[in-house]
Amino acid sequence: MARTVWDSSVGKKTVMAVSGLIMLMYLVAHMIGNLKIFFGPGEFNHYAHWLRTVGEPFMHYEWTLWLIRVVLVVAVVAHAVSAYQLSRRGTKARPSKYVHRKARTSYATRTMRWGGIILGLFIVWHILDLTTGTVHSGGFQEGRPYQNVVDTFSTWYGNVVYLVAMLAVGLHIRHGFWSAAQTLGAGSRTRDRALKTVADILALLLTAGFIAVPVGVMTGVVS
């Protein structure tokens, strides 16, 4: 039955919707955690340490964090594969391009594909920069995320990469949240306006919240 559901377009759209909502919940929690940087290095570094000890002593050190990472990797892969396969299926269904573009198609809708690619590349860079320290500038300091974040956003390219990615996040959420609601049956004529408003607010708050960190470093508020 699972294979039958997966092979259908509706099944793939459902997988995209559920995996997208999982990632959205993570983004909200991640943004709130990031904003702790404005309370100083002690608060931020303590928060990073706490993430590794959540669930102790029942869970071993970092087990909860790794469980979250595994769930996120599965969600990202499922989302990307579903999106790719749906795109291929749509291309095969209409091999010739439309003569006229659909009227009233939003910018976010038209850039969902490229936005997803940008975010995929950003995730790889972000992990190599602030998790493994492989491409980190200024000397990666294990267990001192506050200092590592300040190092990253003290470089022009670190700011450019992050700001572009966060704008892509905002556009992706703006369209993706409403689309997920439609797929999961939450949309209706009476609720569409409210869902679009919620999508706009979520996109704006998350974009502003994430961008606040590099802006804080650039302006000297975080140093």
Side-chain angles (χ1 to χ4, degrees), residues 159-180:
N159 288 314
V160 170
V161 170
Y162 195 84
L163 292 174
V164 169
M166 291 309 103
L167 291 175
V169 164
L171 289 173
H172 215 73
I173 290 171
R174 183 173 179 270
H175 176 74
F177 179 82
W178 181 82
S179 181

Side-chain angles (χ1 to χ4, degrees), residues 93 181-182 211:
Q182 302 302 308
I211 285 178

Side-chain angles (χ1 to χ4, degrees), residues 93-146:
R94 46 173 176 78
S96 58
K97 293 184 177 180
Y98 289 123
V99 176
H100 299 291
R101 221 178 239 181
K102 262 186 184 178
R104 305 175 71 178
T105 301
S106 70
Y107 181 77
T109 303
R110 296 196 302 269
T111 56
M112 283 294 281
R113 182 182 301 174
W114 284 108
I117 293 172
I118 290 171
L119 292 177
L121 294 173
F122 169 74
I123 289 171
V124 173
W125 176 82
H126 197 51
I127 291 172
L128 292 175
D129 179 35
L130 292 175
T131 301
T132 66
T134 307
V135 299
H136 186 75
S137 61
F140 184 76
Q141 301 180 60
E142 186 70 40
R144 303 186 71 188
Y146 182 95

Side-chain angles (χ1 to χ4, degrees), residues 4-86:
T4 301
V5 172
W6 172 250
D7 286 342
S8 69
S9 294
V10 173
K12 293 183 189 299
K13 288 179 180 179
T14 302
V15 169
M16 277 194 72
V18 173
S19 59
L21 291 176
I22 290 172
M23 290 186 286
L24 177 59
M25 288 189 289
Y26 168 75
L27 285 173
V28 171
H30 189 41
M31 181 203 69
I32 294 172
N34 280 2
L35 293 177
K36 289 181 178 290
I37 200 167
F38 290 100
F39 295 94
E43 179 85 10
F44 193 70
N45 289 343
H46 176 70
Y47 163 69
H49 176 72
W50 172 80
L51 287 176
R52 287 157 174 76
T53 60
V54 173
E56 287 187 339
F58 179 73
M59 298 290 280
H60 191 61
Y61 182 75
E62 283 196 344
W63 277 14
T64 302
L65 183 59
W66 274 106
L67 180 62
I68 293 171
R69 286 169 175 167
V70 169
V71 171
L72 282 172
V73 168
V74 171
V76 169
V77 172
H79 197 78
V81 171
S82 300
Y84 174 75
Q85 292 184 353
L86 283 169

